[in-house]
């Protein structure tokens, strides 16, 4: 309070930076003068002399290098980044009010005002509508070539069948993208019903240039494609090459036919691994056996499931790498041999070594063609030829004769002749500067 010339005492405020006195009487002045001074004060550390001036920021690149770049506070950019965090990170909306998150945000930039969970939920809905509108405009452009993939599955707990459709495309900057454009419950796995669902999805997005659709080899998928080809216009060669069969799925079918021949070597090791993994006490005994054998590794025995062939491969591979510990485990566990009747011996592991070498090729190829962030179609022909060479090589070994014979039958069904495969695969080879026509001619001869 300061006494003025008229003898009245009035309230003043003092600036914390320049210590200037400002009228702050509640009845006569209010706080407007204080707010105006904050923006004008030359000693305000949060005030930039030039509103367009940016700050320097030391940024670390993905390759480990650091670079100096400019930075400017931008509320719109921060809002969009926050929404992206909650959408991509699948965070609950109430996380925005978490004390630790608020403290972390304030530490980064005290100017950021975090919205409430109700505001961010509304903003996410608006964000979805905006992004969907952009996507609709892009996908409905006749010049945009789109490739679809789809799959169906039944939820074991809900007993409900779902379909997902993913669009793959290249933007104006030659960047690959994939977007889930449909995820819904369907009534049945019938081919015609699936075809109608796919057609509704394509029309709903206004797609004019769907080049291919990739599916697995279920018979219902073939019927769905027959229905879809009749309804879609402007397909290459009348839709003859519209369907692309999933390479990873065909590899899976080939290997499963080979694994039907479960010989007693494999079964013996499978039973031993399942016995050890049955209880924590046995696992601890096996770890101690590994230590006594001098196996300095953090690896452990892998289990297998009937529906995934690569789990059987991982089981055999891990068992072979830890083979020395099985004998030591038998000494520690007296009921091991009694319960199993027959325990793995050296000759069992010798056979498994060959099995692992044989199936390693298929595992590597499955992982290669399952990538989603790089182009793969140009590798298709060479990988198919490599599988052919691999099967021919191992068909000469007596212990693999029957196994490879059935695998060869499945291979011939899908890849046995060049006219059984999709023409687009050959176009990709021609466009690949590392192969072009000489390699394709060589492939046809093979």
């Amino acid at each position: 309070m300061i006494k003025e010339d008229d003898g009245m005492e009035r309230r003043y405020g003092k600036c914390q930076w320049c210590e200037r006195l400002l009228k702050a009487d509640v009845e006569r002045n209010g706080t407007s003068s204080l707010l105006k001074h904050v923006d004008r004060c030359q000693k305000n550390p949060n005030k930039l002399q030039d509103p367009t001036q940016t700050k320097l920021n030391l940024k670390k690149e993905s390759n480990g290098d650091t670079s100096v770049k400019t930075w400017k506070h931008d509320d719109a950019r921060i809002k969009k980044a926050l929404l992206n965090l909650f959408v991509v990170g699948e965070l609950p909306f109430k996380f925005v009010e978490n004390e630790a998150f608020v403290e972390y945000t304030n530490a980064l930039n005290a100017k950021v005002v975090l919205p409430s969970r109700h505001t961010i939920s509304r903003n996410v809905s608006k964000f979805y509508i905006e992004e969907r509108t952009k996507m609709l405009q892009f996908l409905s452009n006749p010049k945009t070539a789109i490739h679809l993939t789809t799959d169906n599955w039944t939820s074991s707990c809900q007993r409900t069948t779902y379909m997902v459709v993913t669009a793959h495309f290249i933007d104006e900057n030659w960047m690959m993208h994939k977007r889930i454009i449909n995820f819904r419950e369907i009534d049945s796995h019938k081919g015609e019903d699936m075809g109608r669902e796919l057609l509704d999805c394509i029309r709903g997005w206004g797609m004019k240039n769907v080049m291919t659709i990739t599916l697995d080899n279920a018979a219902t998928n073939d019927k769905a494609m027959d229905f879809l080809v009749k309804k879609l216009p402007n397909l290459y060669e009348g839709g003859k090459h519209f369907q692309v069969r999933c390479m990873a799925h065909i590899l899976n079918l080939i290997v499963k036919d080979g694994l039907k021949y479960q010989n007693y070597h494999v079964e013996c090791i499978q039973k031993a691994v399942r016995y050890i993994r049955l209880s924590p006490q046995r696992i601890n005994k096996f770890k101690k056996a590994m230590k006594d054998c001098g196996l300095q590794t953090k690896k452990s025995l892998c289990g297998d499931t009937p529906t995934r062939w690569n789990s059987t491969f991982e089981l055999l591979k891990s068992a072979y790498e830890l083979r020395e510990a099985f004998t030591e485990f038998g000494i520690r566990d007296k009921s091991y041999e009694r319960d199993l009747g027959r325990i793995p011996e050296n000759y069992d592991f010798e056979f498994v070594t060959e099995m692992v070498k044989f199936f390693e090729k298929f595992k590597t190829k499955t992982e290669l063609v399952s990538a989603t962030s790089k182009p793969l179609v140009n590798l298709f022909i060479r990988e198919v030829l490599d599988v052919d060479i691999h099967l021919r090589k191992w068909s000469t070994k007596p212990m693999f004769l029957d196994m490879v014979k059935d695998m060869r039958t499945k291979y011939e069904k899908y890849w046995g002749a060049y006219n059984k495969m999709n023409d687009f695969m050959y176009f990709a080879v021609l466009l690949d500067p590392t192969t072009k026509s000489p390699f394709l001619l060589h492939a046809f001869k093979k």
Side-chain angles (χ1 to χ4, degrees):
M1 300 294 289
I2 298 178
K3 192 173 183 179
E4 296 187 347
D5 296 339
D6 58 2
M8 299 292 292
E9 288 188 350
R10 291 187 174 88
R11 188 184 300 274
Y12 278 75
K14 181 189 287 187
C15 176
Q16 63 177 331
W17 297 301
C18 67
E19 298 186 352
R20 179 180 174 180
L21 294 177
L22 302 163
K23 292 180 180 181
D25 190 89
V26 178
E27 296 180 357
R28 300 179 62 183
N29 305 109
T31 58
S32 58
S33 61
L34 299 176
L35 292 173
K36 290 178 181 178
H37 176 74
V38 169
D39 292 332
R40 291 195 300 262
C41 182
Q42 299 299 317
K43 293 186 178 181
N44 182 356
N46 297 320
K47 176 182 174 297
L48 293 172
Q49 299 297 326
D50 182 2
T52 62
Q53 180 69 42
T54 58
K55 294 183 178 180
L56 293 179
N57 181 37
L58 190 64
K59 184 177 180 181
K60 190 172 183 179
E61 305 291 346
S62 57
N63 59 2
D65 297 337
T66 55
S67 60
V68 178
K69 299 197 175 180
T70 58
W71 176 87
K72 181 183 177 182
H73 180 86
D74 187 344
D75 287 325
R77 183 174 62 88
I78 293 172
K79 177 183 176 181
K80 186 175 180 180
L82 183 65
L83 294 176
N84 196 54
L85 170 67
F86 276 80
V87 173
V88 177
E90 299 179 1
L91 298 175
F93 295 140
K94 66 179 182 180
F95 184 76
V96 76
E97 297 174 356
N98 185 285
E99 293 180 2
F101 182 68
V102 173
E103 181 183 357
Y104 175 72
T105 306
N106 290 335
L108 290 175
N109 188 352
K111 291 184 179 181
V112 175
V113 179
L114 290 174
S116 67
R117 63 180 184 273
H118 303 293
T119 302
I120 201 167
S121 66
R122 291 193 297 269
N123 290 341
V124 166
S125 298
K126 293 178 183 177
F127 180 59
Y128 165 75
I129 294 172
E130 292 171 1
E131 291 299 314
R132 192 183 189 283
T133 303
K134 293 178 185 177
M135 183 65 63
L136 187 63
Q137 292 175 350
F138 185 82
L139 295 181
S140 60
N141 188 341
K143 294 182 180 179
T144 303
I146 305 162
H147 302 263
L148 302 178
T149 58
T150 184
D151 196 12
N152 303 337
W153 72 94
T154 301
S155 170
S156 58
C157 57
Q158 296 175 324
R159 301 298 177 187
T160 306
T161 303
Y162 294 97
M163 169 186 279
V164 63
V165 181
T166 308
H168 304 259
F169 55 88
I170 298 173
D171 64 14
E172 299 89 342
N173 299 319
W174 289 92
M175 297 295 294
M176 289 181 60
H177 295 272
K178 73 167 187 174
R179 297 287 187 273
I180 296 176
I181 58 173
N182 186 39
F183 185 90
R184 67 173 67 177
E185 181 181 340
I186 59 174
D187 297 329
S188 71
H189 280 283
K190 293 181 180 179
E192 193 167 319
D193 292 339
M194 291 167 53
R196 286 196 180 93
E197 292 288 344
L198 289 169
L199 186 62
D200 287 345
C201 176
I202 292 171
R203 288 177 174 173
W205 285 95
M207 298 180 193
K208 304 293 191 303
N209 188 11
V210 181
M211 293 189 68
T212 64
I213 183 167
T214 304
L215 314 98
D216 59 29
N217 299 285
T220 54
N221 287 336
D222 294 337
K223 294 180 180 178
M225 291 304 100
D226 292 339
F227 174 86
L228 206 56
V229 166
K230 294 176 183 177
K231 303 295 182 181
L232 292 177
N234 305 323
L235 293 178
Y236 169 68
E237 281 199 21
K240 180 181 177 182
H241 308 285
F242 181 62
Q243 180 181 359
V244 178
R245 299 187 183 276
C246 176
M247 184 176 185
H249 188 258
I250 294 175
L251 285 172
N252 184 51
L253 294 177
I254 292 172
V255 174
K256 279 187 173 180
D257 277 13
L259 288 175
K260 288 178 182 177
Y261 288 89
Q262 288 280 17
N263 58 71
Y264 65 94
H265 299 290
V266 175
E267 290 176 353
C268 176
I269 293 176
Q270 282 179 317
K271 289 178 180 178
V273 172
R274 289 167 188 164
Y275 174 88
I276 295 169
R277 287 172 50 87
L278 197 60
S279 72
Q281 292 82 4
R282 292 173 185 173
I283 293 174
N284 290 332
K285 283 183 182 179
F286 190 81
K287 288 181 178 179
K288 291 178 181 178
M290 290 169 54
K291 188 175 181 180
D292 291 343
C293 293
L295 295 173
Q296 302 296 329
T297 178
K298 293 183 179 180
K299 292 182 179 180
S300 59
L301 295 174
C302 298
D304 65 338
T305 57
T307 56
R308 297 180 60 215
W309 75 266
N310 54 329
S311 66
T312 304
F313 169 81
E314 295 295 346
L315 180 148
L316 297 176
K317 186 176 181 180
S318 64
Y320 172 73
E321 292 174 349
L322 305 174
R323 61 190 180 281
E324 298 173 11
F326 281 85
T327 304
E328 186 66 27
F329 176 80
I331 299 173
R332 293 176 176 274
D333 192 311
K334 303 301 180 183
S335 60
Y336 175 50
E337 186 171 0
R338 183 190 64 211
D339 291 350
L340 292 180
R342 179 179 177 275
I343 60 175
E345 303 291 347
N346 288 334
Y347 58 86
D348 294 311
F349 287 110
E350 289 176 4
F351 178 82
V352 165
T353 305
E354 296 299 306
M355 286 279 289
V356 169
K357 289 179 182 177
F358 176 62
F359 285 113
E360 183 87 49
K361 175 80 72 174
F362 295 95
K363 181 177 183 293
T364 303
K365 293 194 180 304
T366 301
E367 291 174 348
L368 173 66
V369 300
S370 298
T372 58
S373 58
K374 56 184 177 182
L376 299 169
V377 66
N378 59 310
L379 305 177
F380 180 85
I381 301 300
R382 68 176 70 182
E383 295 303 320
V384 167
L385 286 176
D386 196 31
V387 172
D388 174 64
I389 294 170
H390 188 66
L391 291 175
R392 291 179 188 277
K393 175 183 175 182
W394 285 81
S395 64
T396 58
K397 300 188 178 184
M399 66 177 68
F400 289 90
L401 190 61
D402 293 332
M403 181 187 294
V404 173
K405 184 179 179 181
D406 274 9
M407 296 174 73
R408 167 60 66 179
T409 302
K410 186 68 72 176
Y411 177 94
E412 294 290 340
K413 179 180 178 180
Y414 296 108
W415 298 332
Y418 67 87
N419 56 1
K420 291 184 178 182
M421 287 182 275
N422 195 304
D423 277 7
F424 287 125
M425 302 301 176
Y426 305 129
F427 297 160
V429 174
L430 292 171
L431 294 170
D432 186 347
T434 65
T435 52
K436 293 193 175 292
S437 53
F439 176 78
L440 196 58
L441 202 61
H442 170 76
F444 283 160
K445 290 177 181 178
K446 291 294 180 182

